[in-house]
């Protein structure tokens, strides 16, 4: 066998080995019901809390805002009504640009022992949470319109919810309408979540 034939044979063997290695390597996960259901379950296990955006406690509401429609002026008395916070009078320095700090009166709201049960501490920033969502079912998915291939999808899903008892209070529902909408929408409301395909599976985006 001459050198040219040997080279050709070796080249064919090398290509066969590379094809075999590629076949044995990690496979890209498909966008199917099983894979995306697993991805949704993992996502909601970590990020399924329905929180109210109250990350820093205690919360001070200036007395000049009493009776206004500012968010905390409306919501904090309601949380006090259901026993989740307690109110006390305090004074704080109100520093404004180009002005000397002045002392103003505030109503200070602190979490009660019951309220502390709903504050979820996290590595970055905690939050006061009303419920936890789990997956009901994946309704469907579609490729992201801003992606050129199928490496990113938008999953549409319905959810189950484990809501705190106080979310059923009429005053709470009125003060937190978006929370109430999500709680009432369990099993019927459709939410969406973006996922990106990686070698190890589908991972959430925008989290």
């Amino acid at each position: 066998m001459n050198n040219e034939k040997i080279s050709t044979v070796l080249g064919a063997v090398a290509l066969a080995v590379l094809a075999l290695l590629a076949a044995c390597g990690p496979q890209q996960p498909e966008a199917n019901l099983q894979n995306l259901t697993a991805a949704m379950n993992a996502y909601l296990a970590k990020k399924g809390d329905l929180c109210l955006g109250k990350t820093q406690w205690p919360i001070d509401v200036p007395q000049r805002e009493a009776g206004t429609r500012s968010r905390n002026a409306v919501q904090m008395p309601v949380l006090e009504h259901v026993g989740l916070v307690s109110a006390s009078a305090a004074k704080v320095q109100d520093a404004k640009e180009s002005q000397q700090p002045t002392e103003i009166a505030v109503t200070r709201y602190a979490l009660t022992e019951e309220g502390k049960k709903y504050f979820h501490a996290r590595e970055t920033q905690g939050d006061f949470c009303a419920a936890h969502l789990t997956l009901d079912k994946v309704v469907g998915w579609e490729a992201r319109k801003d992606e050129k291939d199928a490496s990113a999808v938008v999953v549409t899903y319905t959810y189950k919810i484990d809501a705190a008892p106080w979310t059923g209070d009429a005053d709470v529902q009125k003060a937190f309408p978006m929370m109430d909408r999500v709680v009432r929408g369990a099993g019927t409301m459709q939410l969406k979540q973006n996922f990106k395909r990686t070698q190890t599976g589908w991972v959430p985006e925008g989290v």
Side-chain angles (χ1 to χ4, degrees), residues 74-123:
V74 170
Q75 294 174 348
M76 299 311 296
V78 172
L79 294 181
E80 181 186 18
H81 162 70
V82 292
L84 301 177
V85 303
S86 59
S88 61
K91 291 186 177 181
V92 298
Q93 295 294 320
D94 183 28
K96 295 182 179 180
E97 188 177 354
S98 302
Q99 294 183 9
Q100 291 293 327
T102 57
E103 193 173 66
I104 63 170
V106 300
T107 301
R108 177 162 293 170
Y109 293 93
L111 291 170
T112 61
E113 289 304 312
E114 181 66 18
K116 289 176 182 178
K117 297 177 182 178
Y118 302 99
F119 186 82
H120 295 189
R122 302 191 180 100
E123 292 182 2

Side-chain angles (χ1 to χ4, degrees), residues 70-197:
S70 69
R71 188 178 69 166
N72 283 331
V74 170
Q75 294 174 348
M76 299 311 296
V78 172
L79 294 181
E80 181 186 18
H81 162 70
V82 292
L84 301 177
V85 303
S86 59
S88 61
K91 291 186 177 181
V92 298
Q93 295 294 320
D94 183 28
K96 295 182 179 180
E97 188 177 354
S98 302
Q99 294 183 9
Q100 291 293 327
T102 57
E103 193 173 66
I104 63 170
V106 300
T107 301
R108 177 162 293 170
Y109 293 93
L111 291 170
T112 61
E113 289 304 312
E114 181 66 18
K116 289 176 182 178
K117 297 177 182 178
Y118 302 99
F119 186 82
H120 295 189
R122 302 191 180 100
E123 292 182 2
T124 53
Q125 189 176 55
D127 205 342
F128 188 77
C129 303
H132 183 80
L133 279 63
T134 54
L135 182 66
D136 176 37
K137 63 182 178 181
V138 171
V139 177
W141 61 90
E142 59 183 356
R144 285 255 306 274
K145 293 180 174 59
D146 56 344
E147 293 287 340
K148 295 180 180 179
D149 54 30
S151 65
V153 296
V154 182
V155 175
T156 302
Y157 66 98
T158 56
Y159 58 91
K160 303 173 185 177
I161 198 163
D162 180 18
W166 47 267
T167 60
D169 183 271
D171 290 334
V172 171
Q173 292 168 350
K174 187 182 297 184
F176 298 91
M178 289 304 300
M179 176 212 72
D180 183 47
R181 183 184 175 196
V182 174
V183 171
R184 292 175 184 270
T188 57
M189 181 183 289
Q190 295 186 0
L191 302 180
K192 295 181 181 294
Q193 177 58 43
N194 294 337
F195 284 92
K196 184 80 173 179
R197 182 166 57 192

